[in-house]
Amino acid sequence: MATLTHRALRELILEFGGCDYFFSEMISARGLLNGGHLEQYYVDAGPHPDRVIYQLMGSDADSIAAAAAMLDERDCAGIDINMGCAAPAITRQGGGVSWMSDYDSAIRMVDQVRRQVTRHPLSVKLRLGFDEDPERVMHFCRGLEQAGVEMITMHPRTAKQKFKRTARWSFVELAAEHLHIPVIGNGDVTDASRLVARSRGPWSGVMVGRGAVQQPWIFAQARAAGQQIEVDREAVALQFLELLRRRQPAEFWKSRAHRFFAYYCTNFAWGHNLNTGIHRESDTHAMGALVRQYFRRYPQERILSVALVPNP
């Protein structure tokens, strides 16, 4: 979810009522400590800091602990250590899911961070690691719990699987039944019906990732419980571009817009053409012109009427 879960997207989702908590983009521990001028946008927890959990990424314990101490001084809902990212650029540096290859180092790092974070809850997001071994996964989770982690979010795929196979929610269930801290499940929650269905499991909550980018109204739809809601999908796209210009630096506009529309355009019959056109543009106003042009050509796609009938 890098380049996606920034303030502009949060505000767009909040237009539909929002969700309980938002996770920030991955914040590089070393980048934060080095004080780059763009870091202020990564740590912008607006408009509701009490609902934003900072997501911290790094490859060495000292920098993660120092960065966590800095974030602990800010208003937020919590601090999260990313042990789930499987992107090669992250794992080559020893960050993300790489921590799960060395239990002792990971637990020592978490213990060091825990001693620095005194004002806010500490959580970890992880995968299954590098194989589907329930005993090893539970050993790792118990170690995190004993080190002081207060919540675990599990994306039940291995590092290599990425999105190539169905998320193994049986691992989330196993963790929820044996740990004494909240366990949040994540994976394959691509629409409101699946969100409602997953919310009935033994775990404490459900994290939605790509589904909330494709459908920023997913939480409103899940709460509708059979009532009809209407979404102006052209207005949503244009509102995102406006929020992007308002809340992010110009250096970020192109990459953030391209990433958003890569998911958002999958809503439409001819969305591939729209997405291709947007990716040829570097100016957000030109992207907005393409959006308007698309809905002039296909007006039937503009208004989405949706209703959720929960599964019995």
Side-chain angles (χ1 to χ4, degrees):
M1 300 298 288
T3 75
L4 286 169
T5 54
H6 43 71
R7 179 169 178 172
L9 182 66
R10 292 198 299 270
E11 290 194 15
L12 184 67
I13 293 172
L14 284 165
E15 294 280 340
F16 296 96
C19 53
D20 295 319
Y21 294 101
F22 296 93
F23 280 69
S24 74
E25 291 184 79
M26 285 192 298
I27 301 168
S28 166
R30 289 181 179 174
L32 184 63
L33 295 174
N34 290 337
H37 75 283
L38 296 176
E39 293 303 316
Q40 62 181 303
Y41 297 99
Y42 286 96
V43 300
D44 180 357
H48 299 297
D50 59 326
R51 294 166 71 175
V52 173
I53 297 173
Y54 285 125
Q55 182 184 183
L56 196 56
M57 179 275 297
S59 57
D60 69 276
D62 290 343
S63 64
I64 295 175
M70 291 178 62
L71 293 174
D72 195 41
E73 295 300 317
R74 304 180 66 91
D75 291 332
C76 64
I79 296 170
D80 185 76
I81 303 171
N82 185 293
M83 294 188 188
C85 181
I90 302 299
T91 59
R92 279 196 298 266
Q93 300 174 22
V97 71
S98 293
W99 283 102
M100 296 191 70
S101 65
D102 187 339
Y103 172 86
D104 291 335
S105 294
I107 299 305
R108 283 197 300 268
M109 179 270 288
V110 170
D111 178 71
Q112 187 174 343
V113 173
R114 176 75 277 179
R115 285 185 272 114
Q116 295 296 319
V117 175
T118 59
R119 298 181 61 234
H120 296 99
L122 179 66
S123 61
V124 166
K125 184 174 188 290
L126 43 69
R127 284 180 176 253
L128 301 182
F130 294 87
D131 57 55
E132 298 184 27
D133 181 348
E135 184 175 343
R136 183 192 53 74
V137 173
M138 287 308 304
H139 177 64
F140 196 91
C141 289
R142 289 192 187 96
L144 294 175
E145 182 179 37
Q146 292 169 5
V149 167
E150 294 162 83
M151 182 177 75
I152 287 175
T153 302
M154 181 181 290
H155 180 84
R157 289 184 173 98
T158 68
K160 292 183 178 180
Q161 286 169 350
K162 297 189 178 178
F163 301 113
K164 294 179 181 178
R165 66 172 297 174
T166 303
R168 305 293 294 274
W169 277 76
S170 59
F171 282 85
V172 183
E173 182 175 5
L174 182 67
E177 291 176 346
H178 289 86
L179 299 179
H180 299 94
I181 58 176
V183 175
I184 310 300
N186 168 244
D188 298 337
V189 184
T190 54
D191 56 44
S193 294
R194 294 187 184 192
L195 172 55
V196 170
R198 285 299 185 196
S199 69
R200 298 192 176 108
W203 36 82
S204 300
V206 179
M207 173 184 279
V208 182
R210 295 167 296 153
V213 184
Q214 180 189 17
Q215 305 164 61
W217 53 85
I218 189 172
F219 302 108
Q221 188 180 355
R223 286 191 296 267
Q227 300 177 18
Q228 199 80 11
I229 63 173
E230 287 194 348
V231 178
D232 185 332
R233 297 189 290 188
E234 177 183 9
V236 170
L238 297 176
Q239 176 72 353
F240 173 78
L241 290 171
E242 175 59 30
L243 288 168
L244 191 62
R245 289 188 288 266
R246 192 185 307 166
R247 299 303 187 194
Q248 294 277 277
E251 296 97 318
F252 286 178
W253 292 352
K254 177 182 175 181
S255 62
R256 271 58 178 168
H258 285 184
R259 281 275 282 162
F260 171 80
F261 282 105
Y263 292 104
Y264 191 71
C265 287
T266 61
N267 289 303
F268 310 118
W270 302 100
H272 175 74
N273 293 341
L274 175 58
N275 185 49
T276 299
I278 287 173
H279 274 68
R280 292 191 182 117
E281 299 290 346
S282 58
D283 178 77
T284 57
H285 293 285
M287 297 177 198
L290 288 174
V291 169
R292 293 185 180 92
Q293 178 182 328
Y294 180 88
F295 288 103
R296 283 196 301 269
R297 181 174 297 176
Y298 306 108
Q300 71 277 12
E301 295 219 62
R302 179 181 172 188
I303 302 300
L304 175 70
S305 295
V306 293
L308 175 68
V309 180
N311 296 325

